[in-house]
Amino acid sequence: MAVLLLSSLALPQNQTVGALPQNQTVDAVPVGRTVDAALLDCAIRTAPGDPVVMTPAVTTVSRKIHVRATMHLTDCRSSTSVGRLMRTGTVHIDAHVRANCSSVTPLDGQAAITWRDASGHRVGTSTVQARRRDVNSSISDGLLAGQVTRGLMSGAKVSGSITPTSSMSQCTDSGLRALAGSGRVNLHQ
């Protein structure tokens, strides 16, 4: 999961920067239904006013980028007894990737998730370790990749996708330092 958001920078090969969707909303998963036999499925989005921060800025030149973000998990649905307690969460991400405006390769990193129940009470935490990929990720590949190594849902694999909700047009011009987005994430076996 620490690979997370920067993979959303990669444009599909047949899409131009200006053609990305703006302010796209996330569809809810109906109650009682999980996606692809997920142990837990949640909507994910960047915190309002707190986008993913990339240092140095992502440009057309591939280089190592430090990614920091706070994300919100909402509308979590599960078929497991432990997962049913986990209705929302806050994800803190600290990762490194090799990236340019058209591709992202995860290097290392982790995410810390604090889970809350329907009443907003803390029910536990999870630590997710990034899953290094040898191939470049793109927006269409899905960008949330990792495995829960500690805490709730330990051992579960993490996957999902995020679509940028902020403009990426500055990536090829002056470089992209911040990015907002939303999508879905799931934990599965």
Side-chain angles (χ1 to χ4, degrees):
M1 185 181 231
V3 177
L4 289 172
L5 291 188
L6 205 51
S7 295
S8 66
L9 292 174
L11 299 172
Q13 291 183 358
N14 61 352
Q15 189 165 2
T16 62
V17 172
L20 285 174
Q22 297 292 317
N23 299 324
Q24 184 174 1
T25 60
V26 178
D27 295 330
V29 172
V31 175
R33 181 177 154 226
T34 59
V35 175
D36 296 328
L39 299 172
L40 184 70
D41 178 76
C42 302
I44 187 169
R45 64 175 170 77
T46 50
D50 192 11
V52 177
V53 176
M54 297 156 288
T55 310
V58 176
T59 65
T60 57
V61 177
S62 184
R63 59 185 167 179
K64 187 174 181 177
I65 307 288
H66 183 207
V67 181
R68 290 182 326 268
T70 297
M71 306 284 297
H72 291 290
L73 299 170
T74 58
D75 190 33
C76 296
R77 306 285 185 212
S78 179
S79 59
T80 69
S81 58
V82 172
R84 282 188 207 112
L85 294 175
M86 302 157 60
R87 299 305 306 247
T88 65
T90 303
V91 183
H92 297 283
I93 301 163
D94 190 0
H96 290 92
V97 298
R98 180 158 303 283
N100 62 36
C101 293
S102 62
S103 68
V104 177
T105 302
L107 297 177
D108 60 58
Q110 71 177 29
I113 307 171
T114 300
W115 297 104
R116 299 194 180 280
D117 64 15
S119 299
H121 297 105
R122 182 181 162 156
V123 294
T125 61
S126 297
T127 299
V128 179
Q129 191 66 40
R131 192 174 342 153
R132 187 176 178 145
R133 296 181 188 171
D134 294 328
V135 296
N136 291 338
S137 298
S138 72
I139 199 168
S140 59
D141 293 334
L143 56 94
L144 305 175
Q147 184 162 3
V148 180
T149 57
R150 286 192 306 262
L152 294 176
M153 299 286 194
S154 186
K157 294 176 184 170
V158 180
S159 62
S161 64
I162 293 180
T163 302
T165 56
S166 58
S167 174
M168 291 178 40
S169 61
Q170 70 267 29
C171 190
T172 55
D173 296 333
S174 60
L176 187 63
R177 296 182 190 288
L179 182 68
S182 64
R184 295 214 66 87
V185 63
N186 68 67
L187 283 71
H188 52 91
Q189 296 209 358

